[in-house]
Amino acid sequence: MKKLRLYLRMLHLLAIIGLVTLLAGLVSLLERLLRHDLMGLRQRMSRWFFARMSNALPFRLSVHGELPQEPMLWVSNHISWTDIPLLGMLAPLSFLSKAEVRSWPLAGWLAHQAGTLFIRRGAGDSSLLNQQLGHHLGQGRPLLIFPEGTTTDGQVLRTFHGRLLSSAIESGVALQPVAIRYLRDGQPCMITPFIGDDDMLSHLLRLLASDPIDVQIRLLQPIASTTLNRNQLARRAHAAVASALAVDSETQARAA
């Protein structure tokens, strides 16, 4: 029965990926013909894809809080690659990702087509990157980043790095803190975290073969960026997410 469930979920997911690959190719061709950036269309297409991808995964989703009615810089804790489709289905978002993802077969191309911005670790170009993020936000395009800079097992919350929050201040947009967690029988799920030396295919197969997993997403009170510096913003967002996850922010910040 488990194998049948795995195969059916795999077929469902492959069908969705095949369809969105075709659509992304058509949008890319249309952009070239029109010589015009269709980011808004790509974001809406990505949201459509993420919603169907999330439905193909073994998740039971509950969302608490209100979706922002204006463009914001979303900041969330980070547990797995599955955070992206689950959060991306809520609103037409772009994401900030590590540069290595750009070279992943198919997934990297799809991420690029979805409007993902890529960052190279240790490149020392945070000023230029903040300008790019600010330009993106300034055009009214919501953006989500994971300020921990890495994934965790969901039982700790690492320090939020503030260097990329300058883009929110310079663009005059608020922060939208988000808390996400995965539960099985009321306890943190140990299948979902994508950490360490785990590889994408093995993780996906384990996930597709698993029993349903509860996902809780909390959209927290937005934080105005106009009166705070980037480090103050980072600490405020970190404390809000830590509180929502029932994690002690000061202890975890020192441990990070």
Side-chain angles (χ1 to χ4, degrees), residues 12-13 15-17 19-20 23 42-61 63 67 81-93 95 114 215 217:
H12 187 187
L13 189 58
I16 294 169
I17 291 173
L19 178 58
V20 80
L23 292 175
R42 284 193 277 155
Q43 284 188 325
R44 291 191 295 275
M45 182 183 69
S46 298
R47 184 183 184 184
W48 178 91
F49 166 60
F50 287 146
R52 279 143 190 84
M53 183 179 182
S54 298
N55 288 335
L57 297 172
F59 295 136
R60 293 184 299 222
L61 179 64
V63 181
L67 286 169
W81 61 268
T82 58
D83 300 343
I84 294 174
L86 287 166
L87 295 171
M89 68 180 285
L90 300 179
L93 294 167
F95 290 84
V215 184
I217 296 176

Side-chain angles (χ1 to χ4, degrees), residues 124-222:
D125 59 352
S126 59
S127 177
L128 176 60
L129 183 58
N130 267 306
Q131 290 179 19
Q132 293 176 324
L133 300 185
H135 177 71
H136 192 90
L137 292 168
Q139 291 184 315
R141 298 168 178 170
L143 176 69
L144 188 146
I145 65 175
F146 299 107
E148 291 173 283
T150 186
T151 53
T152 73
D153 63 3
Q155 300 185 73
V156 297
L157 186 66
R158 297 177 64 86
T159 300
F160 280 13
H161 301 289
R163 67 190 183 98
L164 296 180
L165 302 187
S166 297
S167 59
I169 298 172
E170 293 167 4
S171 303
V173 302
L175 255 60
Q176 172 59 71
V178 182
I180 184 170
R181 61 178 176 177
Y182 301 84
L183 302 172
R184 187 187 294 277
D185 299 324
Q187 300 299 316
C189 175
M190 292 294 98
I191 294 176
T192 313
F194 186 66
I195 53 180
D197 297 326
D198 211 349
D199 67 275
M200 183 75 167
L201 180 58
S202 298
H203 185 268
L204 177 60
L205 291 176
R206 289 198 306 275
L207 195 61
L208 291 176
S210 73
D211 293 326
I213 298 164
D214 293 312
V215 184
Q216 294 180 353
I217 296 176
R218 296 188 179 276
L219 300 165
L220 308 173
Q221 185 69 29

Side-chain angles (χ1 to χ4, degrees), residues 98-112:
K98 59 184 181 181
E100 300 94 287
V101 172
R102 182 67 181 89
S103 63
W104 289 3
L106 186 58
W109 181 80
L110 285 174
H112 175 67

